[in-house]
Amino acid sequence: MLDFAIFAVTFLLALVGAVLYLYPASRQASGIPGLPPTEEKDGNLLDIVNSGSLHEFLANLHERYGPVVSFWFGRRLVVSLGSIDVLKQHFNPNKAPDPFETMLKSLLGYQSGGGSVGEDHVRRRRRGEAVTAALHSNFPLLLQLSEELLDKWLSYPETQHIPLSQHMLSFALKFVTRMVLGSTFEDEQEVIRFQKIHGTVWSEIGKGFLDGSLDKNTTRKKQYQEVCTWAIHFLTMSGDVQKKLHKEIEQVLGKDPITSEKIEQLRYCRQVLCETVRTAKLTPVSARLQDIEGKVGPFVIPKETLVLYALGVVLQDPSTWPSPHKFDPDRFADEPVMKVFSSLGFSGTWECPELRFAYMVTTVLVSVLLKRLHLLAVEGQIFEMKYELVTSSREEAWITVSKRH
C-alpha cells in the first residue's frame, strides 16, 4: 500500500509538472506583467499578426502593462523592455553581437556553433575595419553614383513626381553590388534583375518576421536604402532643416566635391541622420538571449529567455524625447541626448558597421543632391510606415525637385 501511495504521488507530481511545462497558459512569467498565451501551440502569435507587426504589438503591450512586459512565442517565454531605464539595467557588452541573428535563432529554436565572447568581439572589430576599408576604397564610386542620380533628377521637369523609395533602392543596389560583386553590375539590366530578386526575398523576410515562418538563412538587412529614403523624406517635410543643412554643406564644402575626410565636419548632417533613424524607428526591435538568470527592477528573467529591446517604443518615449513625433535634429546637439542614442547602438562605440556604412552613404548622397536641388514633398500624400526588421514606407513616397539658383 505504501509503495502504491509513493508511486501515485510521484506520478501525480510528474503529471502536474508536465502539464505546467507543456501547456504555456499554466506557466508563470516570473511575475512579469503581460499576456497569457492565446493558443497552446502558437502562444501570442495570432495577437502579433492581428496587431499588424511585432513593433505595433509591443507598443500596445508596453502602453498597457508598462516598461517590462511578457508574452509567448509558441511555448517560449519572451520578455520585452520598453524604456531607457530598464534597458540600462539589462545592457551587457558580453551579449551576442548581432541582435537580429539572436532574435531569429531564438524564435526559430536553433543555435549556431558560435564562439567565445573574445572571438565575438574580434569578429565584430574585424568586420567594422573591413567595412571602413571598403568604404574608403570605393568612395569615388559612391560619389560617381550620387552625381549620376543628381544628373538624372536635374533632367526632370520641376512638376515631375519622383518615386523616392524606388530610386533609393536602385541607388543602394548599384553601389553595394558594384562594391561587393564588381563590374558585372555596371550593366543596368543586371541591377534591375537583382532588384527583382531582392524584392522577392525581402517580401518573404517581412512576411516571416510577422508570422514566424522565417527560414533560418534569411537574416539580410536593408538599412542602406532605408536611411537614404527616410532622410530625404524628412528633408522634404521640413524646409527649415533642409535650409540649415544646405548652409552647412556650403560652408564645409564650398564648390569642392565631398571627401571622406570632410564628412566628419558635417556635424548637423549627422544630427539629421540620427533624428532620421529615431523618428522613422528604423530598427524597431532588437534582441538578446538571457544567458544566465537576471533581474530588471523587481522582475526575475529566467535563463534562456529571449529578451526583446522594443527600440521603436523607446525611441518614441516622451520621457526621454520631448515632442517625440517631431522631426528635430537640434535635439542631438545636446551631448546627453547623443549618449542615450549611442547606448542604444545607433551611434558611438556600439554603432554597428552596417549603420556606419549607411550614414556615410547617405551623407554623400544628400550633400551632392542638396548642393544643386531643393527637395519638395508632394502635397496630399498619405505616408504610412511598415514595421519589419527595418522600417520602410508602406506605399511609394513621391517627391519633386527644383534647381537651386
Side-chain angles (χ1 to χ4, degrees):
M1 192 69 177
L2 180 60
D3 291 341
F4 175 81
I6 293 173
F7 172 80
V9 170
T10 303
F11 179 81
L12 181 60
L13 290 174
L15 180 62
V16 170
V19 170
L20 289 174
Y21 179 77
L22 294 174
Y23 186 59
S26 302
R27 288 177 279 162
Q28 298 299 310
S30 301
I32 299 174
L35 292 180
T38 303
E39 298 180 356
E40 177 181 352
K41 180 181 179 182
D42 294 329
N44 298 113
L45 181 59
L46 183 61
D47 300 311
I48 297 172
V49 173
N50 289 338
S51 295
S53 70
L54 179 58
H55 162 70
E56 290 162 304
F57 170 76
L58 293 178
N60 293 332
L61 204 60
H62 282 288
E63 183 178 4
R64 183 175 174 185
Y65 293 105
V68 183
V69 299
S70 65
F71 66 97
W72 299 88
F73 194 96
R75 292 188 171 95
R76 180 160 200 160
L77 171 66
V78 181
V79 172
S80 178
L81 307 180
S83 77
I84 287 291
D85 289 340
V86 296
L87 285 177
K88 285 180 178 177
Q89 295 178 49
H90 193 263
F91 284 151
N92 185 337
N94 294 330
K95 299 298 178 182
D98 190 331
F100 294 113
E101 186 177 9
T102 299
M103 179 165 56
L104 297 177
K105 287 182 176 180
S106 182
L107 292 180
L108 294 168
Y110 74 97
Q111 300 293 332
S112 64
S116 67
V117 171
E119 290 173 343
D120 285 338
H121 283 298
V122 169
R123 230 178 356 251
R124 182 187 180 89
R125 187 182 73 250
R126 287 178 176 171
R127 183 175 58 157
E129 292 170 350
V131 168
T132 300
L135 276 169
H136 283 290
S137 63
N138 286 277
F139 195 87
L141 172 62
L142 174 57
L143 189 57
Q144 174 195 329
L145 294 176
S146 298
E147 290 173 343
E148 286 178 3
L149 182 62
L150 170 64
D151 291 339
K152 185 174 185 177
W153 286 9
L154 281 170
S155 70
Y156 292 158
E158 292 189 355
T159 55
Q160 180 162 333
H161 292 186
I162 299 171
L164 180 60
S165 297
Q166 180 182 326
H167 281 218
M168 291 302 98
L169 175 58
S170 177
F171 169 79
L173 286 176
K174 283 180 181 179
F175 180 52
V176 173
T177 52
R178 286 179 62 177
M179 182 180 73
V180 177
L181 301 174
S183 59
T184 299
F185 288 89
E186 291 179 5
D187 183 348
E188 189 76 19
Q189 293 304 312
E190 286 298 318
V191 176
I192 293 172
R193 191 169 71 87
F194 189 91
Q195 185 170 336
K196 290 179 180 178
I197 296 170
H198 172 274
T200 300
V201 171
W202 189 253
S203 175
E204 288 302 308
I205 292 175
K207 176 179 177 293
F209 185 57
L210 180 65
D211 66 13
S213 64
L214 269 172
D215 180 83
K216 63 181 69 176
N217 293 321
T218 50
T219 59
R220 299 174 179 85
K221 313 176 187 74
K222 62 169 187 175
Q223 290 178 325
Y224 319 140
Q225 171 209 344
E226 294 304 341
V227 173
C228 292
T229 302
W230 285 110
I232 293 177
H233 166 70
F234 287 128
L235 286 173
T236 66
M237 302 298 289
S238 178
D240 291 340
V241 172
Q242 188 174 159
K243 183 177 180 180
K244 187 173 180 178
L245 180 54
H246 175 258
K247 182 179 179 180
E248 179 184 68
I249 291 170
E250 288 290 291
Q251 289 175 342
V252 173
L253 302 181
K255 296 186 180 297
D256 298 327
I258 189 171
T259 64
S260 57
E261 292 75 22
K262 287 193 174 182
I263 284 180
E264 294 300 319
Q265 299 177 40
L266 296 172
R267 295 179 181 177
Y268 185 68
C269 185
R270 180 65 174 218
Q271 291 173 217
V272 169
L273 297 184
C274 289
E275 181 67 343
T276 294
V277 170
R278 188 201 68 81
T279 308
K281 304 179 286 292
L282 190 70
T283 304
V285 182
S286 181
R288 295 290 184 266
L289 193 62
Q290 188 73 32
D291 51 356
I292 59 175
E293 184 179 282
K295 288 189 68 176
V296 173
F299 305 115
V300 174
I301 301 179
K303 179 181 179 181
E304 299 299 324
T305 299
L306 178 65
V307 179
L308 299 185
Y309 291 177
L311 298 177
V313 175
V314 174
L315 293 173
Q316 301 284 287
D317 184 352
S319 65
T320 302
W321 317 95
S323 303
H325 301 292
K326 179 182 178 182
F327 184 73
D328 180 17
D330 286 329
R331 73 173 82 239
F332 284 99
D334 295 331
E335 189 64 27
V337 174
M338 184 57 82
K339 284 184 178 179
V340 169
F341 199 64
S342 297
S343 71
L344 297 174
F346 293 118
S347 187
T349 305
W350 292 103
E351 178 183 286
C352 71
E354 291 87 357
L355 192 54
R356 191 181 318 136
F357 184 105
Y359 280 149
M360 180 175 282
V361 170
T362 308
T363 299
V364 172
L365 178 62
V366 167
S367 68
V368 168
L369 294 177
L370 283 190
K371 263 193 162 188
R372 301 284 305 279
L373 294 171
H374 293 282
L375 306 175
L376 306 167
V378 173
E379 292 186 10
Q381 182 175 198
I382 298 175
F383 202 81
E384 296 183 359
M385 296 181 176
K386 180 170 63 175
Y387 302 103
E388 296 172 338
L389 281 175
V390 178
T391 303
S392 60
S393 57
R394 191 171 296 279
E395 304 292 341
E396 181 58 83
W398 297 91
I399 67 169
T400 60
V401 298
S402 64
K403 298 176 185 177
R404 291 185 184 272
H405 300 291

